[in-house]
Amino acid sequence: MQHYYFIHRKSLLFIIILCIMATIEQAQAQVPKPPKMVPEMTEFWEPVPKVVEPGKAAQNAAMTAPSDAVILFDGKDLSKWESVEGGAAQWVVNNGVFTVKKGTGDIVTKQEFNDFQLHIEWSIPADITGKSQARGNSGIFMQGIYELQVLDSYNNQTYVNGQAGSIYKQSPPLVNAMRKPGEWNVYDVIYTAPRFKENGSLFSPARITVLHNGVVIQNDTQIKGHTPYIGLPEYTQHGKGPIRLQDHGDPSEPISYRNIWIREL
Ligand code: MG
């Protein structure tokens, strides 16, 4: 009798375990899976940053670099740059500026940086065509990872966290200080790199202040992570990184850069 009771108890235990497993499985099945990310999920169209007309600049007089700056482009050649795919930068230098050569890939500085002040000028061609993101799209990636958007945002509607001066798919610019196609735009950037703990987790996020044609458009903005087209920003531990310029795949006329210098902080 006692023996029978023992077997019975074991069977009962087994049945209980099966029931618990089935319950867990059912509970797991009921947890809704997050939807698959699509680009539109991270695109915001309002509020639209107010348009501010920046101060006037003499169009062919670029401000020269301070004495302690590292000159990244002096108008002569791309010797401080290389293709992100390896080898020499293929973009075209002409008349003191260089122009994206579509299809040759992004270019990066050979030197890498942590915290810095960056000055960079860029121009949308006067005959630009296309609309939204397919109109003069390029980008300046801090440490090769975090994109400050370059785009024709002069009378060109797009999602606001993707217009010129946005931290791409994160923070729209405070205002739209864009000059019209054919004129030169200036970004002055003050960037603090993210810090990581020894175990690789984030200690403090990157921060960025940006002036666009002398107007503050990012004011000590916290960068939330990398800046993908699809998906949410994330941080992955890294050290120093280059300045990277984007060869965007859109079919509009290629944009140009000039007068690029940086000061490590
Ligand atoms: Mg871009």
Side-chain angles (χ1 to χ4, degrees), residues 57-235:
Q59 283 307 308
N60 290 312
M63 191 176 79
T64 56
S67 61
D68 64 348
V70 173
I71 310 296
L72 295 176
F73 178 66
D74 62 359
K76 295 188 182 79
D77 60 50
L78 288 172
S79 59
K80 300 285 178 67
W81 301 78
E82 60 192 355
S83 168
V84 79
E85 285 148 22
Q90 301 295 313
W91 295 13
V92 181
V93 180
N94 186 28
N95 201 19
V97 312
F98 67 85
T99 302
V100 180
K101 188 172 180 186
K102 297 250 180 180
T104 63
D106 295 2
I107 64 170
V108 289
T109 53
K110 294 174 182 172
Q111 193 174 338
E112 298 190 320
F113 309 93
N114 262 326
D115 305 340
F116 56 78
Q117 172 187 356
L118 172 71
H119 177 95
I120 185 164
E121 304 185 14
W122 52 278
S123 180
I124 302 290
D127 59 351
I128 191 76
T129 58
K131 59 179 188 175
S132 190
Q133 292 289 300
R135 189 178 169 91
N137 198 329
S138 182
I140 302 158
F141 289 77
M142 310 303 138
Q143 300 193 292
I145 299 169
Y146 314 104
E147 183 181 8
L148 169 62
Q149 178 69 303
V150 168
L151 186 77
D152 179 21
S153 286
Y154 191 84
N155 295 330
N156 176 35
Q157 193 186 18
T158 189
Y159 45 93
V160 295
N161 58 346
Q163 73 180 63
S166 63
I167 305 306
Y168 185 66
K169 293 240 171 160
Q170 296 184 21
S171 309
L174 292 169
V175 293
N176 179 348
M178 186 83 196
R179 292 203 173 106
K180 66 173 185 266
E183 298 185 357
W184 283 92
N185 285 274
V186 181
Y187 279 161
D188 284 291
V189 177
I190 301 158
Y191 173 79
T192 305
R195 267 53 173 175
F196 296 90
K197 297 178 193 165
E198 259 178 40
N199 67 6
S201 63
L202 184 68
F203 176 73
S204 58
R207 308 196 76 93
I208 190 164
T209 293
V210 182
L211 283 81
H212 184 185
N213 299 324
V215 179
V216 176
I217 57 163
Q218 299 287 347
N219 184 10
D220 198 27
T221 302
Q222 184 175 305
I223 297 178
K224 299 183 180 80
H226 74 322
T227 49
Y229 175 51
I230 298 171
L232 299 173
E234 287 173 8
Y235 272 109

